[in-house]
Amino acid sequence: MLNVIFGKIPDVIYNTSLYFKNTYEKEWLLSEDVQRMIEDVDSSKVLSSSAIDSPVLGIIPPTSLSGGVKTLILIDKVPDKLFNASNCGDNCAKWLLEMGRKKDITINLRHMMDFGDGDFELKILNTGEIVHNMEQLDIAAGRFV
């Protein structure tokens, strides 16, 4: 399940780009899920564990991916840390929900992310509430962001 803590809290990794730069492992880029995220969010193709073909920037290293993709990768690959997913745009929301369907993940949000018009399942750890759509999320989390 996707678990969300809204608002500013201690022990959150806020600068996910710097954390990624110092901790990512090349084999992460060979994961099919990571490659799908990179293709969807950044419109880029992983060529190898150290090269990505970006339509905007050309051939780039993993450290030059967008902050959103780097945050998604960290959330997936470093489950024992808490990351600020406000570094992600709304185009990352479906990936957070997909990860949450596969395993328990916890993220911090400091804004109201748009998880779309459909139904989903998300637990707000600030209150313990489980919400199933954006209307419920807006009501339950609005007081924290």
Side-chain angles (χ1 to χ4, degrees), residues 1-143:
M1 176 179 287
L2 175 58
N3 299 288
V4 179
I5 304 170
F6 284 99
K8 189 173 182 177
I9 58 171
D11 300 323
V12 172
I13 297 169
Y14 182 77
N15 190 339
T16 53
S17 288
L18 180 62
Y19 191 88
F20 184 88
K21 178 182 178 183
N22 291 313
T23 62
Y24 90 93
E25 298 176 17
K26 288 185 175 186
E27 55 269 10
W28 292 354
L29 281 284
L30 302 178
S31 158
E32 184 179 321
D33 285 344
V34 168
Q35 290 181 11
R36 287 178 37 238
M37 283 188 262
I38 291 169
E39 190 170 331
D40 181 55
V41 176
D42 281 4
S43 301
S44 298
K45 182 170 178 48
V46 175
L47 302 175
S48 71
S49 62
S50 57
I52 293 135
D53 187 8
S54 164
V56 175
L57 302 172
I59 306 300
I60 60 171
T63 53
S64 293
L65 288 165
S66 71
V69 168
K70 289 188 273 194
T71 303
L72 288 174
I73 294 169
L74 289 169
I75 291 165
D76 186 42
K77 299 297 182 185
V78 188
D80 60 322
K81 300 287 184 191
L82 183 59
F83 295 99
N84 175 18
S86 286
N87 290 317
C88 297
D90 289 339
N91 60 339
C92 295
K94 73 177 188 180
W95 293 102
L96 294 168
L97 291 171
E98 183 175 319
M99 280 189 266
R101 283 190 290 273
K102 293 179 180 179
K103 61 185 175 184
D104 284 340
I105 62 168
T106 301
I107 62 170
N108 174 236
L109 281 175
R110 298 180 186 187
H111 78 289
M112 188 64 73
M113 182 174 275
D114 184 355
F115 287 95
D117 295 331
D119 290 336
F120 54 82
E121 188 170 85
L122 179 153
K123 184 173 186 178
I124 302 170
L125 294 182
N126 305 71
T127 63
E129 291 176 78
I130 296 176
V131 297
H132 298 94
N133 56 52
M134 281 305 297
E135 182 179 352
Q136 292 175 359
L137 180 61
D138 286 342
I139 293 167
R143 61 185 171 262

